[in-house]
Amino acid sequence: MTRRHVRVVGAMLQNEMGRYLITQRPPTASLPLLWEFPGGRVEEGEHDAVALARELQEEMGVRIEVLEQVMHTHHEYPTYDIDFRVFRCRLSHPDAEIHHLRVHDHRWVALEEMGQYRFPDADAKTLARLLDLDH
């Protein structure tokens, strides 16, 4: 049987106070109630930046500007593989209100506070790299 390969994009959004946006997965989603960098799946034929902007609009009702790719990792879950790319982004309107359209909750978190939240394995790898980059 062929393993599924899923391409996923995530946003590294930092506010003016140096905190990063993380979102909580809905209780009915796979990996329920875990925290993650906002983003989602790239659809067939879709460019990463377009997918990331679409996902944040659908999940939280915010518009973003996608900047450079900052990380790329692969992770093997028991039944599928993730190709995960993280992009530095910024809110098009810094004072935009974040709505919980397809996320359970959100937080603006300092790097040193990230350990207080439980992340899926692919996000945890990215977080480990991020912490390494900053120290």
Side-chain angles (χ1 to χ4, degrees), residues 73-86:
T73 189
H74 294 276
H75 185 76
E76 294 180 8
Y77 284 101
T79 58
Y80 59 94
D81 297 334
I82 293 281
D83 175 2
F84 186 43
R85 296 163 194 261
V86 178

Side-chain angles (χ1 to χ4, degrees), residues 104-121:
H104 188 66
D105 202 356
H106 79 280
R107 299 272 190 283
W108 289 98
V109 180
L111 280 179
E112 58 272 10
E113 298 169 337
M114 294 261 187
Q116 299 170 24
Y117 297 87
R118 186 152 174 255
F119 287 82
D121 292 341

Side-chain angles (χ1 to χ4, degrees), residues 41-130:
R41 291 183 185 190
V42 178
E43 295 175 1
E44 189 70 35
E46 192 174 33
H47 291 282
D48 290 345
V50 172
L52 191 51
R54 174 186 54 75
E55 285 286 342
L56 269 72
Q57 178 67 40
E58 290 173 359
E59 291 180 352
M60 297 178 290
V62 295
R63 296 194 186 280
I64 60 165
E65 296 172 43
V66 180
L67 306 172
E68 75 276 7
Q69 179 178 311
V70 292
M71 282 175 239
H72 180 206
T73 189
H74 294 276
H75 185 76
E76 294 180 8
Y77 284 101
T79 58
Y80 59 94
D81 297 334
I82 293 281
D83 175 2
F84 186 43
R85 296 163 194 261
V86 178
F87 293 83
R88 189 175 314 282
C89 300
R90 70 174 158 240
L91 292 171
S92 296
H93 305 284
D95 56 345
E97 186 176 340
I98 295 174
H99 301 278
H100 298 162
L101 304 174
R102 288 166 70 190
V103 299
H104 188 66
D105 202 356
H106 79 280
R107 299 272 190 283
W108 289 98
V109 180
L111 280 179
E112 58 272 10
E113 298 169 337
M114 294 261 187
Q116 299 170 24
Y117 297 87
R118 186 152 174 255
F119 287 82
D121 292 341
D123 283 75
K125 278 185 180 179
T126 302
L127 183 57
R129 287 187 184 176
L130 176 62

